[in-house]
Amino acid sequence: MAKSSRQDILEAARRALARARRVSVLTGAGVSAESGIPTFRDRGGIWEKFDPQQVATPDAFARDPAFVWEWYALRMRAVQEARPNPAHYAIAELERLKPEFWLVTQNIDNLHRLAGSRRMTELHGNLWRTRCLACGKVEELTEVPQALPPRCAGCGGLRRPDVVWFGEMLDPRHIAEAERACDADLFLIVGTSGEVWPAAGFAHQAKAAGAQLVEINPQPGSLSQLADFPLVGKAGEVLPRLLQGLAGPGQK
Ligand code: OAD
């Protein structure tokens, strides 16, 4: 039998999306690549230049909070000028079109929110939030802190980025939200290598729960073998095409 062409797979995925009532999306760094934010594990990615053990672990922060903060300040400056790309906007549009929708993102860059996504779980936290190690107060940041490491305005305690580091547990409420999102008719995996757990596990869980899986990625990765509809390409190009002609609830 002839292998399905890319166009056939795209059209089959479009039909599946049109039929689906419950739609969930899992995103990774690749969804922000076209906004100019480097991914982690691609060639030239963040983990090629930095050792995660030195910048993204509780031990690293305990050893040298100012150094870890310098690194986060660098990342904040890098994403500060970035704008959502057509992939982020297509995902926000999907939320408006589908009555049951949930986005689970591993990204901390805030671009989904800037594009209008609201029904979502930020599994690994948010770069623009800090948490006081002493009193636990969470604060939103509007700009890169001037003095590093920043201190809590209330109690003077050390503030850390409100992100998940290697070796840390995810927030149980976030896990519960992501698990609920696995009960979907269609589950889209966009721009993630699937190398980091438990995030990658949600794609397996969705498949086991009976969801059809769409993967959007220019490179096959460890989740590709799960995909019913592997769409090979850039998220900012493929997602808008996938949504073409999709009607909202009650529309024909
Ligand atoms: P990775 O860097 O591991 O993977 C990025 C994925 O995006 C790869 O599969 C690329 O092929 C794909 N990609 C690149 N450009 C793309 C594009 N234009 N459109 C679609 N896909 C594209 O990043 P993540 O899977 O997000 O965690 O990594 C997961 C976690 O590992 C991150 O949240 C971070 C990191 O360590 C923590 O820091 C805790």
Side-chain angles (χ1 to χ4, degrees), residues 12 32 36 39 41 52 58 66 87 100 113 115 121 127 129 137 154 157 162 167 169 220 236 242:
S32 296
T39 62
R41 296 174 183 78
E100 282 192 46
R113 198 176 297 276
T121 301
L127 197 49
R129 246 185 0 236
K137 188 163 185 267
D162 194 20
M169 307 286 280
L242 182 64

Side-chain angles (χ1 to χ4, degrees), residues 20-246:
R21 194 173 55 82
R22 300 169 306 162
V23 174
S24 297
V25 183
L26 172 69
T27 64
V31 81
S32 296
E34 290 152 87
S35 295
I37 300 175
T39 62
F40 293 94
R41 296 174 183 78
D42 289 301
R43 189 176 296 226
I46 292 175
W47 295 151
E48 213 173 72
K49 300 196 182 88
F50 298 94
D51 174 1
Q53 294 304 322
Q54 303 300 320
V55 291
T57 64
D59 281 355
F61 192 71
R63 261 195 320 270
D64 195 344
F67 177 76
V68 170
W69 260 113
E70 291 289 351
W71 189 69
Y72 277 93
L74 202 70
R75 288 189 66 194
M76 284 175 162
R77 285 188 204 103
V79 305
Q80 203 164 30
E81 303 303 322
R83 287 291 158 261
N85 68 56
H88 297 104
Y89 288 116
I91 292 168
E93 174 71 5
L94 209 45
E95 175 175 330
R96 286 189 285 275
L97 293 174
K98 291 294 176 182
E100 282 192 46
F101 176 90
W102 202 259
L103 165 64
V104 179
T105 185
Q106 298 167 83
N107 299 347
I108 61 174
D109 58 26
N110 212 35
L111 290 186
H112 282 302
R113 198 176 297 276
L114 282 181
S117 285
R118 291 296 176 267
R119 280 184 260 159
M120 70 167 164
T121 301
E122 291 174 318
L123 218 46
H124 293 166
N126 190 302
L127 197 49
W128 296 99
R129 246 185 0 236
T130 68
R131 194 167 77 235
C132 175
L133 285 181
C135 71
K137 188 163 185 267
V138 171
E139 279 183 55
E140 306 276 336
L141 293 175
T142 49
E143 53 190 35
V144 183
Q146 296 278 320
L148 299 176
R151 296 269 166 189
C152 178
C155 77
L158 189 59
R159 280 153 74 189
R160 61 163 280 179
D162 194 20
V163 300
V164 178
W165 283 326
F166 287 98
E168 292 188 311
M169 307 286 280
L170 300 189
D171 182 331
R173 284 169 305 181
H174 291 164
I175 296 192
E177 286 172 2
E179 285 183 336
R180 270 200 299 281
C182 292
D183 280 325
D185 301 316
L186 200 73
F187 191 93
L188 288 89
I189 308 162
V190 186
T192 179
S193 60
E195 293 296 323
V196 171
W197 288 66
F202 297 123
H204 291 265
Q205 192 170 329
K207 180 90 179 174
Q212 286 192 299
L213 264 54
V214 175
E215 185 188 45
I216 301 175
N217 199 311
Q219 304 285 337
S222 48
L223 298 175
S224 302
Q225 84 276 5
L226 296 179
D228 300 277
F229 308 106
L231 303 178
V232 181
K234 293 181 177 180
E237 293 169 9
V238 176
L239 264 167
R241 267 192 252 143
L242 182 64
L243 265 68
Q244 254 165 34
L246 188 67

